[in-house]
PDB file of all heavy atoms in Angstrom:
ATOM      1  N   PRO A   1       0.031  -3.507   3.848  1.00 87.00           N
ATOM      2  CA  PRO A   1      -0.936  -4.602   3.834  1.00 87.00           C
ATOM      3  C   PRO A   1      -0.408  -5.946   3.224  1.00 87.00           C
ATOM      4  O   PRO A   1      -0.732  -6.980   3.667  1.00 87.00           O
ATOM      5  CB  PRO A   1      -2.144  -4.146   2.992  1.00 87.00           C
ATOM      6  CG  PRO A   1      -2.095  -2.629   3.217  1.00 87.00           C
ATOM      7  CD  PRO A   1      -0.659  -2.241   3.314  1.00 87.00           C
ATOM      8  N   GLU A   2       0.511  -5.786   2.304  1.00 89.00           N
ATOM      9  CA  GLU A   2       1.027  -7.028   1.712  1.00 89.00           C
ATOM     10  C   GLU A   2       2.123  -7.686   2.592  1.00 89.00           C
ATOM     11  O   GLU A   2       2.480  -8.835   2.448  1.00 89.00           O
ATOM     12  CB  GLU A   2       1.680  -6.760   0.363  1.00 89.00           C
ATOM     13  CG  GLU A   2       2.840  -5.770   0.397  1.00 89.00           C
ATOM     14  CD  GLU A   2       2.480  -4.300   0.229  1.00 89.00           C
ATOM     15  OE1 GLU A   2       1.219  -3.934   0.221  1.00 89.00           O
ATOM     16  OE2 GLU A   2       3.353  -3.407   0.121  1.00 89.00           O
ATOM     17  N   SER A   3       2.500  -7.073   3.665  1.00 88.00           N
ATOM     18  CA  SER A   3       3.481  -7.628   4.628  1.00 88.00           C
ATOM     19  C   SER A   3       2.818  -8.158   5.847  1.00 88.00           C
ATOM     20  O   SER A   3       3.530  -8.607   6.836  1.00 88.00           O
ATOM     21  CB  SER A   3       4.453  -6.604   5.028  1.00 88.00           C
ATOM     22  OG  SER A   3       5.226  -6.146   3.869  1.00 88.00           O
ATOM     23  N   VAL A   4       1.437  -8.062   6.011  1.00 87.00           N
ATOM     24  CA  VAL A   4       0.783  -8.479   7.275  1.00 87.00           C
ATOM     25  C   VAL A   4       0.979  -9.904   7.549  1.00 87.00           C
ATOM     26  O   VAL A   4       1.317 -10.302   8.720  1.00 87.00           O
ATOM     27  CB  VAL A   4      -0.639  -8.204   7.152  1.00 87.00           C
ATOM     28  CG1 VAL A   4      -1.523  -8.778   8.257  1.00 87.00           C
ATOM     29  CG2 VAL A   4      -0.963  -6.682   7.161  1.00 87.00           C
ATOM     30  N   GLY A   5       0.878 -10.880   6.631  1.00 88.00           N
ATOM     31  CA  GLY A   5       1.093 -12.254   6.835  1.00 88.00           C
ATOM     32  C   GLY A   5       2.457 -12.627   7.375  1.00 88.00           C
ATOM     33  O   GLY A   5       2.589 -13.335   8.233  1.00 88.00           O
ATOM     34  N   ARG A   6       3.529 -11.972   6.853  1.00 89.00           N
ATOM     35  CA  ARG A   6       4.909 -12.187   7.268  1.00 89.00           C
ATOM     36  C   ARG A   6       5.017 -11.710   8.686  1.00 89.00           C
ATOM     37  O   ARG A   6       5.670 -12.352   9.552  1.00 89.00           O
ATOM     38  CB  ARG A   6       5.921 -11.422   6.321  1.00 89.00           C
ATOM     39  CG  ARG A   6       7.348 -11.447   6.817  1.00 89.00           C
ATOM     40  CD  ARG A   6       7.885 -12.852   6.768  1.00 89.00           C
ATOM     41  NE  ARG A   6       9.137 -12.947   7.434  1.00 89.00           N
ATOM     42  CZ  ARG A   6      10.310 -12.910   6.830  1.00 89.00           C
ATOM     43  NH1 ARG A   6      10.374 -12.730   5.449  1.00 89.00           N
ATOM     44  NH2 ARG A   6      11.415 -12.996   7.525  1.00 89.00           N
ATOM     45  N   ALA A   7       4.536 -10.578   9.022  1.00 88.00           N
ATOM     46  CA  ALA A   7       4.573  -9.943  10.356  1.00 88.00           C
ATOM     47  C   ALA A   7       3.962 -10.812  11.404  1.00 88.00           C
ATOM     48  O   ALA A   7       4.473 -11.087  12.352  1.00 88.00           O
ATOM     49  CB  ALA A   7       3.964  -8.506  10.395  1.00 88.00           C
ATOM     50  N   MET A   8       2.716 -11.361  11.054  1.00 88.00           N
ATOM     51  CA  MET A   8       1.995 -12.298  11.980  1.00 88.00           C
ATOM     52  C   MET A   8       2.805 -13.524  12.199  1.00 88.00           C
ATOM     53  O   MET A   8       2.922 -13.977  13.262  1.00 88.00           O
ATOM     54  CB  MET A   8       0.622 -12.608  11.305  1.00 88.00           C
ATOM     55  CG  MET A   8      -0.370 -11.442  11.270  1.00 88.00           C
ATOM     56  SD  MET A   8      -1.876 -11.714  10.449  1.00 88.00           S
ATOM     57  CE  MET A   8      -2.525 -13.149  11.150  1.00 88.00           C
ATOM     58  N   THR A   9       3.436 -14.123  11.112  1.00 91.00           N
ATOM     59  CA  THR A   9       4.192 -15.328  11.327  1.00 91.00           C
ATOM     60  C   THR A   9       5.437 -15.006  12.225  1.00 91.00           C
ATOM     61  O   THR A   9       5.701 -15.787  13.123  1.00 91.00           O
ATOM     62  CB  THR A   9       4.734 -15.781   9.931  1.00 91.00           C
ATOM     63  OG1 THR A   9       3.599 -16.078   9.158  1.00 91.00           O
ATOM     64  CG2 THR A   9       5.630 -17.015  10.103  1.00 91.00           C
ATOM     65  N   ASP A  10       6.074 -13.849  11.950  1.00 90.00           N
ATOM     66  CA  ASP A  10       7.234 -13.517  12.791  1.00 90.00           C
ATOM     67  C   ASP A  10       6.769 -13.430  14.218  1.00 90.00           C
ATOM     68  O   ASP A  10       7.521 -13.844  15.214  1.00 90.00           O
ATOM     69  CB  ASP A  10       7.901 -12.253  12.273  1.00 90.00           C
ATOM     70  CG  ASP A  10       8.607 -12.341  11.000  1.00 90.00           C
ATOM     71  OD1 ASP A  10       8.799 -13.518  10.613  1.00 90.00           O
ATOM     72  OD2 ASP A  10       8.903 -11.298  10.388  1.00 90.00           O
ATOM     73  N   ILE A  11       5.757 -12.706  14.487  1.00 89.00           N
ATOM     74  CA  ILE A  11       5.296 -12.465  15.893  1.00 89.00           C
ATOM     75  C   ILE A  11       4.975 -13.879  16.637  1.00 89.00           C
ATOM     76  O   ILE A  11       5.332 -14.063  17.793  1.00 89.00           O
ATOM     77  CB  ILE A  11       4.125 -11.463  15.990  1.00 89.00           C
ATOM     78  CG1 ILE A  11       4.609 -10.133  15.504  1.00 89.00           C
ATOM     79  CG2 ILE A  11       3.535 -11.423  17.335  1.00 89.00           C
ATOM     80  CD1 ILE A  11       3.452  -9.118  15.212  1.00 89.00           C
ATOM     81  N   GLN A  12       4.269 -14.688  15.844  1.00 89.00           N
ATOM     82  CA  GLN A  12       3.911 -15.957  16.425  1.00 89.00           C
ATOM     83  C   GLN A  12       5.179 -16.815  16.677  1.00 89.00           C
ATOM     84  O   GLN A  12       5.215 -17.526  17.738  1.00 89.00           O
ATOM     85  CB  GLN A  12       3.009 -16.803  15.487  1.00 89.00           C
ATOM     86  CG  GLN A  12       1.619 -16.203  15.414  1.00 89.00           C
ATOM     87  CD  GLN A  12       0.700 -16.909  14.335  1.00 89.00           C
ATOM     88  OE1 GLN A  12       1.256 -17.368  13.435  1.00 89.00           O
ATOM     89  NE2 GLN A  12      -0.563 -16.972  14.632  1.00 89.00           N
ATOM     90  N   GLN A  13       6.147 -16.772  15.809  1.00 89.00           N
ATOM     91  CA  GLN A  13       7.463 -17.547  16.062  1.00 89.00           C
ATOM     92  C   GLN A  13       8.202 -17.009  17.351  1.00 89.00           C
ATOM     93  O   GLN A  13       8.995 -17.738  17.949  1.00 89.00           O
ATOM     94  CB  GLN A  13       8.275 -17.547  14.914  1.00 89.00           C
ATOM     95  CG  GLN A  13       7.769 -18.283  13.757  1.00 89.00           C
ATOM     96  CD  GLN A  13       8.574 -18.328  12.481  1.00 89.00           C
ATOM     97  OE1 GLN A  13       9.466 -17.333  12.238  1.00 89.00           O
ATOM     98  NE2 GLN A  13       8.326 -19.255  11.628  1.00 89.00           N
ATOM     99  N   MET A  14       7.993 -15.761  17.628  1.00 88.00           N
ATOM    100  CA  MET A  14       8.578 -15.154  18.825  1.00 88.00           C
ATOM    101  C   MET A  14       7.784 -15.413  20.093  1.00 88.00           C
ATOM    102  O   MET A  14       8.280 -15.107  21.158  1.00 88.00           O
ATOM    103  CB  MET A  14       8.688 -13.633  18.680  1.00 88.00           C
ATOM    104  CG  MET A  14       9.707 -13.143  17.662  1.00 88.00           C
ATOM    105  SD  MET A  14       9.844 -11.327  17.598  1.00 88.00           S
ATOM    106  CE  MET A  14       8.641 -10.951  16.475  1.00 88.00           C
ATOM    107  N   GLY A  15       6.684 -16.096  20.058  1.00 85.00           N
ATOM    108  CA  GLY A  15       5.897 -16.433  21.152  1.00 85.00           C
ATOM    109  C   GLY A  15       4.994 -15.274  21.548  1.00 85.00           C
ATOM    110  O   GLY A  15       4.510 -15.217  22.678  1.00 85.00           O
ATOM    111  N   GLY A  16       4.814 -14.344  20.634  1.00 87.00           N
ATOM    112  CA  GLY A  16       3.902 -13.170  20.983  1.00 87.00           C
ATOM    113  C   GLY A  16       2.472 -13.342  20.680  1.00 87.00           C
ATOM    114  O   GLY A  16       2.102 -14.325  20.033  1.00 87.00           O
ATOM    115  N   ASP A  17       1.722 -12.407  21.070  1.00 86.00           N
ATOM    116  CA  ASP A  17       0.291 -12.337  20.805  1.00 86.00           C
ATOM    117  C   ASP A  17       0.002 -11.009  20.099  1.00 86.00           C
ATOM    118  O   ASP A  17       0.664 -10.035  20.386  1.00 86.00           O
ATOM    119  CB  ASP A  17      -0.511 -12.446  22.071  1.00 86.00           C
ATOM    120  CG  ASP A  17      -0.361 -13.695  22.835  1.00 86.00           C
ATOM    121  OD1 ASP A  17      -0.444 -14.755  22.250  1.00 86.00           O
ATOM    122  OD2 ASP A  17      -0.305 -13.725  24.086  1.00 86.00           O
ATOM    123  N   PHE A  18      -1.093 -10.973  19.298  1.00 87.00           N
ATOM    124  CA  PHE A  18      -1.413  -9.765  18.690  1.00 87.00           C
ATOM    125  C   PHE A  18      -2.982  -9.707  18.358  1.00 87.00           C
ATOM    126  O   PHE A  18      -3.626 -10.748  18.418  1.00 87.00           O
ATOM    127  CB  PHE A  18      -0.650  -9.597  17.332  1.00 87.00           C
ATOM    128  CG  PHE A  18      -0.701 -10.867  16.433  1.00 87.00           C
ATOM    129  CD1 PHE A  18      -1.733 -11.078  15.632  1.00 87.00           C
ATOM    130  CD2 PHE A  18       0.231 -11.821  16.610  1.00 87.00           C
ATOM    131  CE1 PHE A  18      -1.857 -12.148  14.771  1.00 87.00           C
ATOM    132  CE2 PHE A  18       0.248 -12.918  15.781  1.00 87.00           C
ATOM    133  CZ  PHE A  18      -0.849 -13.150  14.897  1.00 87.00           C
ATOM    134  N   SER A  19      -3.460  -8.518  18.141  1.00 86.00           N
ATOM    135  CA  SER A  19      -4.861  -8.279  17.784  1.00 86.00           C
ATOM    136  C   SER A  19      -5.017  -8.372  16.302  1.00 86.00           C
ATOM    137  O   SER A  19      -4.101  -8.437  15.503  1.00 86.00           O
ATOM    138  CB  SER A  19      -5.323  -6.991  18.348  1.00 86.00           C
ATOM    139  OG  SER A  19      -4.625  -5.961  17.686  1.00 86.00           O
ATOM    140  N   GLN A  20      -6.344  -8.255  15.823  1.00 86.00           N
ATOM    141  CA  GLN A  20      -6.583  -8.271  14.430  1.00 86.00           C
ATOM    142  C   GLN A  20      -6.027  -6.935  13.881  1.00 86.00           C
ATOM    143  O   GLN A  20      -6.004  -5.883  14.491  1.00 86.00           O
ATOM    144  CB  GLN A  20      -8.115  -8.264  14.143  1.00 86.00           C
ATOM    145  CG  GLN A  20      -8.708  -9.590  14.363  1.00 86.00           C
ATOM    146  CD  GLN A  20      -8.274 -10.640  13.373  1.00 86.00           C
ATOM    147  OE1 GLN A  20      -7.960 -10.407  12.299  1.00 86.00           O
ATOM    148  NE2 GLN A  20      -8.069 -11.997  13.853  1.00 86.00           N
ATOM    149  N   PRO A  21      -5.500  -6.957  12.639  1.00 83.00           N
ATOM    150  CA  PRO A  21      -4.925  -5.774  12.029  1.00 83.00           C
ATOM    151  C   PRO A  21      -6.014  -4.660  11.752  1.00 83.00           C
ATOM    152  O   PRO A  21      -7.067  -5.039  11.449  1.00 83.00           O
ATOM    153  CB  PRO A  21      -4.193  -6.196  10.787  1.00 83.00           C
ATOM    154  CG  PRO A  21      -4.606  -7.676  10.564  1.00 83.00           C
ATOM    155  CD  PRO A  21      -5.291  -8.189  11.811  1.00 83.00           C
ATOM    156  N   GLU A  22      -5.683  -3.401  11.919  1.00 87.00           N
ATOM    157  CA  GLU A  22      -6.465  -2.357  11.641  1.00 87.00           C
ATOM    158  C   GLU A  22      -5.857  -1.664  10.410  1.00 87.00           C
ATOM    159  O   GLU A  22      -4.702  -1.499  10.318  1.00 87.00           O
ATOM    160  CB  GLU A  22      -6.587  -1.371  12.837  1.00 87.00           C
ATOM    161  CG  GLU A  22      -7.117  -1.911  14.107  1.00 87.00           C
ATOM    162  CD  GLU A  22      -7.016  -0.892  15.301  1.00 87.00           C
ATOM    163  OE1 GLU A  22      -7.000   0.408  14.939  1.00 87.00           O
ATOM    164  OE2 GLU A  22      -6.869  -1.344  16.355  1.00 87.00           O
ATOM    165  N   ILE A  23      -6.713  -1.158   9.503  1.00 87.00           N
ATOM    166  CA  ILE A  23      -6.230  -0.424   8.372  1.00 87.00           C
ATOM    167  C   ILE A  23      -6.337   1.027   8.706  1.00 87.00           C
ATOM    168  O   ILE A  23      -7.352   1.581   9.011  1.00 87.00           O
ATOM    169  CB  ILE A  23      -7.067  -0.853   7.100  1.00 87.00           C
ATOM    170  CG1 ILE A  23      -7.090  -2.303   6.832  1.00 87.00           C
ATOM    171  CG2 ILE A  23      -6.510  -0.030   5.942  1.00 87.00           C
ATOM    172  CD1 ILE A  23      -5.669  -2.907   6.566  1.00 87.00           C
ATOM    173  N   ARG A  24      -5.164   1.718   8.562  1.00 87.00           N
ATOM    174  CA  ARG A  24      -5.150   3.185   8.779  1.00 87.00           C
ATOM    175  C   ARG A  24      -4.413   3.717   7.563  1.00 87.00           C
ATOM    176  O   ARG A  24      -3.249   3.675   7.433  1.00 87.00           O
ATOM    177  CB  ARG A  24      -4.321   3.569  10.045  1.00 87.00           C
ATOM    178  CG  ARG A  24      -5.048   3.082  11.398  1.00 87.00           C
ATOM    179  CD  ARG A  24      -4.297   3.665  12.519  1.00 87.00           C
ATOM    180  NE  ARG A  24      -4.864   3.099  13.764  1.00 87.00           N
ATOM    181  CZ  ARG A  24      -4.239   2.960  14.833  1.00 87.00           C
ATOM    182  NH1 ARG A  24      -2.944   3.532  14.954  1.00 87.00           N
ATOM    183  NH2 ARG A  24      -4.721   2.423  15.906  1.00 87.00           N
ATOM    184  N   GLY A  25      -5.244   4.346   6.733  1.00 87.00           N
ATOM    185  CA  GLY A  25      -4.643   4.921   5.530  1.00 87.00           C
ATOM    186  C   GLY A  25      -4.110   3.762   4.601  1.00 87.00           C
ATOM    187  O   GLY A  25      -4.836   2.870   4.301  1.00 87.00           O
ATOM    188  N   ASP A  26      -2.849   3.911   4.321  1.00 90.00           N
ATOM    189  CA  ASP A  26      -2.268   2.882   3.353  1.00 90.00           C
ATOM    190  C   ASP A  26      -1.449   1.869   4.317  1.00 90.00           C
ATOM    191  O   ASP A  26      -0.625   1.043   3.645  1.00 90.00           O
ATOM    192  CB  ASP A  26      -1.467   3.439   2.289  1.00 90.00           C
ATOM    193  CG  ASP A  26      -0.293   4.324   2.846  1.00 90.00           C
ATOM    194  OD1 ASP A  26      -0.302   4.560   4.052  1.00 90.00           O
ATOM    195  OD2 ASP A  26       0.604   4.597   2.059  1.00 90.00           O
ATOM    196  N   MET A  27      -1.608   1.843   5.568  1.00 90.00           N
ATOM    197  CA  MET A  27      -0.748   0.940   6.349  1.00 90.00           C
ATOM    198  C   MET A  27      -1.736   0.077   7.217  1.00 90.00           C
ATOM    199  O   MET A  27      -2.806   0.365   7.534  1.00 90.00           O
ATOM    200  CB  MET A  27       0.123   1.690   7.286  1.00 90.00           C
ATOM    201  CG  MET A  27       1.183   2.574   6.685  1.00 90.00           C
ATOM    202  SD  MET A  27       2.334   1.575   5.756  1.00 90.00           S
ATOM    203  CE  MET A  27       3.524   1.210   6.975  1.00 90.00           C
ATOM    204  N   SER A  28      -1.174  -1.103   7.636  1.00 91.00           N
ATOM    205  CA  SER A  28      -1.904  -2.049   8.487  1.00 91.00           C
ATOM    206  C   SER A  28      -1.234  -1.974   9.835  1.00 91.00           C
ATOM    207  O   SER A  28      -0.079  -2.045   9.974  1.00 91.00           O
ATOM    208  CB  SER A  28      -1.870  -3.417   7.863  1.00 91.00           C
ATOM    209  OG  SER A  28      -2.461  -4.323   8.762  1.00 91.00           O
ATOM    210  N   VAL A  29      -2.005  -1.816  10.937  1.00 91.00           N
ATOM    211  CA  VAL A  29      -1.463  -1.557  12.263  1.00 91.00           C
ATOM    212  C   VAL A  29      -1.863  -2.789  13.160  1.00 91.00           C
ATOM    213  O   VAL A  29      -3.003  -3.208  13.158  1.00 91.00           O
ATOM    214  CB  VAL A  29      -2.001  -0.252  12.918  1.00 91.00           C
ATOM    215  CG1 VAL A  29      -1.432  -0.140  14.317  1.00 91.00           C
ATOM    216  CG2 VAL A  29      -1.665   0.956  12.058  1.00 91.00           C
ATOM    217  N   LYS A  30      -0.889  -3.470  13.703  1.00 89.00           N
ATOM    218  CA  LYS A  30      -1.116  -4.629  14.638  1.00 89.00           C
ATOM    219  C   LYS A  30      -0.677  -4.253  15.991  1.00 89.00           C
ATOM    220  O   LYS A  30       0.467  -3.588  16.150  1.00 89.00           O
ATOM    221  CB  LYS A  30      -0.293  -5.815  14.177  1.00 89.00           C
ATOM    222  CG  LYS A  30      -0.797  -6.274  12.825  1.00 89.00           C
ATOM    223  CD  LYS A  30      -0.151  -7.706  12.549  1.00 89.00           C
ATOM    224  CE  LYS A  30      -0.806  -8.779  13.178  1.00 89.00           C
ATOM    225  NZ  LYS A  30      -2.312  -8.859  13.218  1.00 89.00           N
ATOM    226  N   SER A  31      -1.353  -4.504  17.106  1.00 90.00           N
ATOM    227  CA  SER A  31      -1.096  -4.293  18.471  1.00 90.00           C
ATOM    228  C   SER A  31      -0.869  -5.658  19.137  1.00 90.00           C
ATOM    229  O   SER A  31      -1.528  -6.602  18.718  1.00 90.00           O
ATOM    230  CB  SER A  31      -2.105  -3.492  19.147  1.00 90.00           C
ATOM    231  OG  SER A  31      -2.303  -2.204  18.553  1.00 90.00           O
ATOM    232  N   GLY A  32       0.068  -5.721  20.071  1.00 89.00           N
ATOM    233  CA  GLY A  32       0.253  -7.016  20.786  1.00 89.00           C
ATOM    234  C   GLY A  32       1.303  -6.863  21.741  1.00 89.00           C
ATOM    235  O   GLY A  32       1.788  -5.822  22.182  1.00 89.00           O
ATOM    236  N   SER A  33       1.780  -8.061  22.141  1.00 87.00           N
ATOM    237  CA  SER A  33       2.981  -8.204  23.211  1.00 87.00           C
ATOM    238  C   SER A  33       3.836  -9.379  22.851  1.00 87.00           C
ATOM    239  O   SER A  33       3.269 -10.351  22.213  1.00 87.00           O
ATOM    240  CB  SER A  33       2.365  -8.240  24.595  1.00 87.00           C
ATOM    241  OG  SER A  33       1.608  -9.485  24.718  1.00 87.00           O
TER     242      SER A  33
END
């Protein structure tokens, strides 16, 4: 969860799209392209 912001920034800089993060256990899961 503490790395979600960095991951979202990285994906946006790549020109990608993603959905809202889902919490599964102790991990945050993002889906996109």
Side-chain angles (χ1 to χ4, degrees):
E2 61 271 8
S3 300
V4 169
R6 172 68 190 262
M8 290 170 58
T9 301
D10 289 347
I11 293 166
Q12 286 174 333
Q13 288 176 344
M14 289 186 270
D17 295 316
F18 50 86
S19 63
Q20 289 293 327
E22 299 174 27
I23 304 298
R24 292 189 192 156
D26 61 345
M27 297 296 273
S28 179
V29 180
K30 297 192 79 45
S31 300
S33 61

